[in-house]
Amino acid sequence: MTEQYDLIIVGGGPIGLACAIEAQKKNLRYLIIEKGAIVNSIFNYPLYMTFFSTAERLEIGDIPFNCLAPKPGRQEALEYYRNIHRYFKFSIHLFEKVNQVLKLDNKSFKITTDKSSYEAKNVIIATGFYDIPIEMNVKGEELPKVQHYYKEAHEYAFRNVLVVGANNSSVDAALECWRKGANVTMVIRKNEINNRVKYWVKPDIENRIAEGSIKAYFESNITEIEANEVTIETPNGKVVIENDFVLALTGYKPDLTFLEKMGIQLSDDELKTPNYNPETMETNVEGLFLAGVVCGGMQTHKWFIENSRIHANMIVDYITSK
C-alpha cells in the first residue's frame, strides 16, 4: 500500500529541516525526502567555504548555533545541522530522489521516487538551486578539465587555472588556487568584481589583480576551450592563453523543469519566477508549496537561509488553519 502523509517535504536542506520542525510542532504526519545526504548542498560546498551570514542567522528550530569564529564555515554548519537532526529525530529518507509529484483527483498528491511511492495531502518543494550549473555554452565546455564545482585548491597547484566569474565562489577559488601556487587568470563578464562578494574578501581579490598576482580580463568572455589553451574575447581583441583547468563557476539554477512538470507556472521573462502566494507560499497548484531559494527562480541571490526560514512557519500555519 502507498504510505499516506499530511505533508511531504522534498529537500533536506536547512529550509526543508525548518519545515519539518514546524510540522512536528503541529503534530503533522510528515516525511522529508532528500536525494543526497542531509543538507546536501552545504556538503557539496568548497571545503573551506565561510558563510556570509553569522551563525545565529543560520539557526533553525530555536537551537543555538555556537561558533567561535565571527562567521561559520562549511564544517561547522554540517555539524550544526547534524545535531539538529539528532535533536529532532526527523522522519527523513536520505539518498532517495523524487521523480514525480502528481496531483490526484482526490486533491492529494502522489509522490514517486526512485525507491518507492507515497501519498500526501500537501507537498513542500525546498530543493534549493545548487544542482544544475549555468553553462557557458562554448566549444570545449564538455572537456574533463572544465569544472562547474570547486572543492579545494590542492589539485590546481602549480597549474594554469582559468576562473570564470566574479561572484563569491569564483573569487574564493581564484584566491585559494593562487595561494597554493597556481597561475590564476580570471575572465569576468562585467567591468568589476561583483558587489555581492563578501566584504572582507573583495579588497583582497582587487589588490591581487591590481598588483598583477592574478590576471583578470574584464568585459570579456571565453569563446573556445581546447586541451591546452583557452581563447578569450576581450575589449582589446582575441587573446589565447595556456591552460590546464577551467573553473566555470558561473552560478547555478533551480530545476525549473521539475517545477513545471508539477504544474507550477513560471513567469514568461528570463527570471522564470514561480507563481506562489507570498503570504502562504502556496503555488498555483492547491496544496503545493515552495520554500527557500527555489522561490526566486533564476534570482538565486534573492532568498537564502536567514531570510527564508520564515517560510516554514508560514506554510505549516496555513496548512493547519485549513
Side-chain angles (χ1 to χ4, degrees):
M1 292 179 62
T2 301
E3 295 186 68
Q4 295 184 322
Y5 293 87
D6 296 317
L7 173 63
I8 280 184
I9 302 160
V10 183
I15 303 305
L17 301 185
C19 291
I21 291 169
E22 296 306 313
Q24 278 190 205
K25 289 179 181 178
K26 297 297 178 68
N27 296 314
L28 296 179
R29 186 163 191 263
Y30 76 91
L31 173 67
I32 306 169
I33 305 177
E34 164 57 53
K35 71 178 184 318
I38 194 165
V39 292
N40 195 62
S41 291
I42 295 176
F43 169 70
N44 285 306
Y45 284 171
L47 293 183
Y48 306 109
M49 191 216 76
T50 301
F51 282 86
F52 192 97
S53 303
T54 52
E56 68 271 11
R57 295 189 174 187
L58 303 178
E59 292 174 356
I60 58 175
D62 297 321
I63 304 298
F65 185 166
N66 297 315
C67 178
L68 294 176
K71 311 279 185 178
R74 168 187 174 274
Q75 292 290 82
E76 292 161 306
L78 291 177
E79 183 69 17
Y80 173 73
Y81 292 114
R82 285 196 301 269
N83 285 333
I84 289 288
H85 179 39
R86 291 189 183 101
Y87 182 83
F88 287 100
K89 297 180 174 61
F90 295 119
S91 171
I92 184 169
H93 290 184
L94 300 174
F95 295 95
E96 182 171 348
K97 183 180 180 182
V98 172
N99 293 324
Q100 185 182 50
V101 176
L102 179 66
K103 188 75 176 282
L104 302 175
D105 291 339
N106 65 359
K107 294 189 177 181
S108 65
F109 294 87
K110 182 179 180 181
I111 297 90
T112 305
T113 75
D114 57 1
K115 294 182 179 179
S116 189
S117 64
Y118 311 87
E119 192 170 321
K121 297 175 185 177
N122 302 279
V123 175
I124 298 174
I125 306 300
T127 48
F129 73 105
Y130 199 56
D131 297 315
I132 303 177
I134 298 173
E135 295 185 343
M136 300 178 292
N137 296 315
V138 300
K139 185 178 179 182
E141 189 171 5
E142 73 286 351
L143 291 173
K145 73 173 190 174
V146 181
Q147 306 292 324
H148 288 283
Y149 293 89
Y150 168 78
K151 204 68 176 177
E152 64 172 323
H154 177 75
E155 65 179 310
Y156 306 114
F158 318 117
R159 308 293 279 171
N160 295 312
V161 177
L162 181 63
V163 178
V164 184
N167 53 26
N168 276 300
S169 57
S170 303
V171 168
D172 284 347
L175 288 169
E176 287 180 17
C177 289
W178 171 70
R179 290 196 165 96
K180 295 297 185 292
N183 175 32
V184 177
T185 302
M186 300 183 73
V187 172
I188 300 165
R189 190 176 71 246
K190 296 182 179 180
N191 63 359
E192 61 180 358
I193 298 295
N194 196 314
N195 285 326
R196 289 195 294 269
V197 167
K198 290 172 280 198
Y199 63 85
W200 64 94
V201 176
K202 191 168 185 282
D204 191 359
I205 189 65
E206 290 174 335
N207 287 335
R208 302 296 75 73
I209 292 171
E211 71 188 14
S213 297
I214 294 175
K215 175 71 176 178
Y217 292 99
F218 291 95
E219 299 181 77
S220 302
N221 291 285
I222 291 176
T223 57
E224 184 175 359
I225 302 169
E226 299 180 81
N228 299 307
E229 60 188 27
V230 173
T231 303
I232 307 166
E233 191 64 48
T234 78
N236 298 319
K238 187 180 295 185
V239 175
V240 179
I241 64 170
E242 293 183 8
N243 175 259
D244 299 306
F245 291 101
V246 175
L247 296 177
L249 306 179
T250 48
Y252 308 92
K253 61 183 179 180
D255 190 344
L256 300 173
T257 302
F258 181 55
L259 299 186
E260 288 183 305
K261 285 181 178 177
M262 288 182 271
I264 299 174
Q265 297 169 352
L266 305 179
S267 63
D268 292 331
D269 56 21
E270 69 279 359
L271 299 180
K272 301 297 180 185
T273 307
N275 183 336
Y276 66 92
N277 183 335
E279 295 181 1
T280 64
M281 308 311 293
E282 188 174 35
T283 69
N284 57 283
V285 180
E286 184 180 0
L288 183 57
F289 300 83
L290 297 179
V293 181
V294 71
C295 299
M298 293 299 292
Q299 291 182 291
T300 54
H301 61 277
K302 184 176 180 180
W303 295 104
F304 31 93
I305 297 171
E306 65 183 69
N307 72 349
S308 60
R309 296 176 296 183
I310 59 170
H311 293 170
N313 301 75
M314 294 165 65
I315 295 169
V316 174
D317 285 349
Y318 179 67
I319 289 173
T320 54
S321 72
K322 291 192 296 182

